[in-house]
Amino acid sequence: MSEAAGREAGSIVLKTIGDDAPTEGPPTIGVATSVQGNYDPGRDQEKARVRIAYVLLAMLGLAVVCVLATGSYLALTCYAGKTCGEAKEAFALLSGTVALIFTPVVGLVGSAIGFYFGSKSAGG
């Protein structure tokens, strides 16, 4: 089957950029082009590292805000109610929850940020 007949039948013809590339006019529909060149994964790795660091920092920020909001609410209910028996139990529960959630998130953020800046200084 000739190349023209193949194009009419709906098949895709791969060409390398620069091989018979038209210098003017719209690109040919149905012709896929492949880019021949050196791929640098460093740029994609950098983007992934930044995204991971931002997500972990957002998780840490959310955890801090939630702990502060809950602690403030408990302190205000204890102050307004003049009885702190239930609030003390809630503070104990909050303390356990903070230790359970906050500590691993801080460790993850520290590792990600350390790895990010360590790779930045090692790479230049």
Side-chain angles (χ1 to χ4, degrees):
M1 187 185 302
S2 69
E3 186 177 332
R7 285 186 186 168
E8 291 175 7
S11 65
I12 296 176
V13 178
L14 292 177
K15 289 186 175 184
T16 304
I17 293 177
D19 294 345
D20 298 322
T23 56
E24 47 186 68
T28 307
I29 297 175
V31 176
T33 58
S34 63
V35 177
Q36 301 290 328
N38 296 332
Y39 172 69
D40 181 24
R43 182 176 47 180
D44 292 334
Q45 288 176 349
E46 186 69 24
K47 287 179 183 179
R49 288 180 186 146
V50 167
R51 285 184 195 135
I52 291 170
Y54 282 147
V55 167
L56 289 173
L57 283 173
M59 285 175 52
L60 179 63
L62 181 65
V64 168
V65 167
C66 288
V67 167
L68 289 176
T70 305
S72 299
Y73 174 74
L74 291 175
L76 288 174
T77 57
C78 178
Y79 178 74
K82 305 288 185 193
T83 61
C84 293
E86 292 177 5
K88 285 182 183 180
E89 293 174 10
F91 273 121
L93 181 62
L94 180 64
S95 173
T97 305
V98 167
L100 185 66
I101 295 173
F102 196 68
T103 305
V105 171
V106 169
L108 284 172
V109 169
S111 297
I113 300 297
F115 182 75
Y116 176 72
F117 285 114
S119 67
K120 284 291 245 184
S121 64

